[in-house]
Amino acid sequence: MHYLNDSAAIFKSIADKMPPDGIVEKADIRAFFDELLKLTKGLVIVDFIDTANWDVIEKYELLDDGLLDLTWHDYREKEERPEEKEVREVVFPGDRHALALYVDSIKPISAPNVAIFLINSYSKTEKEIRALYSKGADEFHYEDGSFFEKRVVRRNSGVLEFIDFHCAPIYSLALIPKRTGIKSYDSRFILYKFNCEQCLARLEKVSSALHGLDLRDRDEISAGVVTARRVFEFLLKVECCYAGLEVTKGYSGMLLGDLITVVKRGKDEKARAELGRIAELANNYAHDTGKPVTKEAAFEVVDLITNYVRKLHITIGR
């Protein structure tokens, strides 16, 4: 297959060999990138959840601790005339431009003749990112780009690097074949909708488990609601990214109360009341309040959260 003309077929052939739930093992992820970059010569589209995008992956590195580094452009070994370098540095001022994340999983999304791949990561704090990249650097600068992405600029032994670090455990990257007509805005909707669909799948498991519990299984009932609460926190963080809402803490520091305070701004009274009810019920089950633990209340909070997710899913699809 031709690395460019048959890009869609290459993606589909790789996806067909993957488990439907995707890959998580480092050996599988390395094999995935080895094959993808070999067959496409790195000519793939990388779309970000904020509609930014790349047109190539020059190389990748996956460390044993899960740190995945994708290089967009590396000029260190490229021959450039002085005038070429001067023009290039207007757009790409660094010696290397890359992104990095601690990879969790890569999931295929397949259609009859094409496939794309979605990537998510683990959360990292500003302190952890600084510690990772500032050590040994001659110069170091950290930029708080967005809720899900931070920028690191560092110079080490004369090499200037720009690294966009994806620090939120959401599906924020899509690998897209060339010449399919899929635009960055399409990828944005795909990523946001997929994050919502993951929430709905998790909530369905909670609901199914609750149906099988006895009225006296209070710890298990509470555990189900706590799981639903975590799903809701995740969903509200996705909404913050989607709506471009300003947050005051890092991903791990934003808890349910913080998130509701942010997202309820601009919502109508009915939506604000629903958010308040979810918080009230979720808190009752997350702490030792001494209040009754019932399946009815557990189902109420799970249903309220599920409906909230569905509404956001519909909003994203408009």
Side-chain angles (χ1 to χ4, degrees), residues 72-88:
W72 184 13
H73 292 299
D74 189 341
Y75 297 99
R76 288 175 293 181
E77 297 180 1
K78 294 180 180 178
E79 294 185 3
E80 296 179 289
R81 295 194 302 271
E83 59 272 21
E84 290 176 333
K85 183 177 181 180
E86 183 178 358
V87 172
R88 184 263 297 171

Side-chain angles (χ1 to χ4, degrees), residues 143-163:
E143 297 177 9
D144 192 356
S146 70
F147 194 33
F148 75 92
E149 180 186 81
K150 314 301 177 185
R151 169 160 286 190
V152 169
V153 182
R154 70 173 183 175
R155 189 184 299 275
N156 193 8
S157 300
V159 175
L160 179 61
E161 294 181 295
F162 288 76
I163 303 169

Side-chain angles (χ1 to χ4, degrees), residues 3 10 32-42:
Y3 65 93
I10 290 171
F32 165 81
F33 276 107
D34 286 342
E35 183 175 17
L36 181 67
L37 299 192
K38 177 182 178 181
L39 294 179
T40 63
K41 297 186 178 181

